[in-house]
Amino acid sequence: MTNFTPGLDVIILAGGRGSRMGGRDKATVRVNGERLIDLLLDEVSLLDGLMQVIVVTTRGLDVRPGVKVVAEDPAFAGPVAAIAAGLAAAAGQPSTTTAILAVDAPASAALVPDLIDALDDGDAACVDGQPLCAVWSTPALQQRISDLDSVQDRSARSLLEGQTVYTIDGNGDETDYDTLEELREIGTVD
């Protein structure tokens, strides 16, 4: 039986091919001189009860001390495989709650407190149905992942099927930027 630590783990999905960004690694794209991963990690560091931060990427990525970096296996196996890899990295001392965020939504961590409040006794809470801006009860997420016949090539939305999911309205912080042009809406991109 797993013992859960009161608190919050955060899994940041930072992998993918970046095809809509011209093949660039999304995590290392800079907006106003700051890498997307650093912008998101800055926001994550402000969260109450933060225990572990796990970045899942198939590319080599330097991050600040204390942040774990793991990869899904095989590479580019999709978001559910990445979430499963993040959960496995936290398995030694998982927290009771797990946030799932995407590196291309650099302000999304600001919504985590509202998501935790909305979670109540449900399995998950997400912003406007977005599975990559969500907070889960860690036991429910572990169970959902273990119930799948395969985690490869599955959409993140498929995790929500059959679960008790609460939804909150977004305020713009959940916006994900899929292209370099979209990122230019928030600053200078290099």
Side-chain angles (χ1 to χ4, degrees):
M1 177 170 204
T2 302
N3 291 320
F4 296 94
T5 303
L8 174 69
D9 293 337
V10 177
I11 298 172
I12 298 173
L13 303 189
R17 290 186 168 85
S19 55
R20 289 179 281 183
M21 287 197 183
R24 292 178 66 180
D25 179 1
K26 290 181 190 182
T28 62
V29 171
R30 293 181 183 272
V31 177
N32 297 328
E34 295 289 326
R35 297 182 314 164
L36 285 180
I37 188 65
D38 295 323
L39 291 170
L40 185 52
L41 287 172
D42 286 347
E43 292 289 326
V44 165
S45 72
L46 302 174
L47 295 171
D48 289 337
L50 184 63
M51 302 301 287
Q52 299 182 80
V53 180
I54 300 124
V55 176
V56 185
T57 179
T58 54
R59 302 172 187 233
L61 182 64
D62 291 326
V63 294
R64 59 192 66 174
V67 175
K68 297 178 185 178
V69 178
V70 299
E72 73 268 21
D73 185 26
F76 305 116
V80 174
I83 292 166
L87 273 178
Q93 52 185 352
S95 296
T96 53
T97 308
T98 300
I100 308 294
L101 303 173
V103 74
D104 58 358
S108 59
L111 291 161
V112 169
D114 290 339
L115 288 165
I116 291 171
D117 288 345
L119 183 60
D120 194 30
D121 63 349
D123 299 322
C126 57
V127 177
D128 294 331
Q130 294 185 31
L132 298 183
C133 189
V135 169
W136 281 77
S137 157
T138 304
L141 181 58
Q142 287 180 339
Q143 185 62 53
R144 180 66 178 125
I145 294 285
S146 71
D147 287 346
L148 298 173
D149 57 344
S150 172
V151 295
Q152 291 185 29
D153 301 320
R154 294 189 72 109
S155 74
R157 193 167 307 284
S158 70
L159 287 179
L160 301 176
E161 295 169 4
Q163 304 301 295
T164 302
V165 180
Y166 298 105
T167 301
I168 67 170
D169 293 330
N171 63 9
D173 287 339
E174 75 282 3
T175 303
D176 65 333
Y177 300 91
D178 292 324
T179 66
L180 295 175
E181 182 156 319
E182 289 175 357
L183 275 172
R184 287 185 184 99
E185 295 172 14
I186 60 172
T188 303
V189 175
D190 56 356

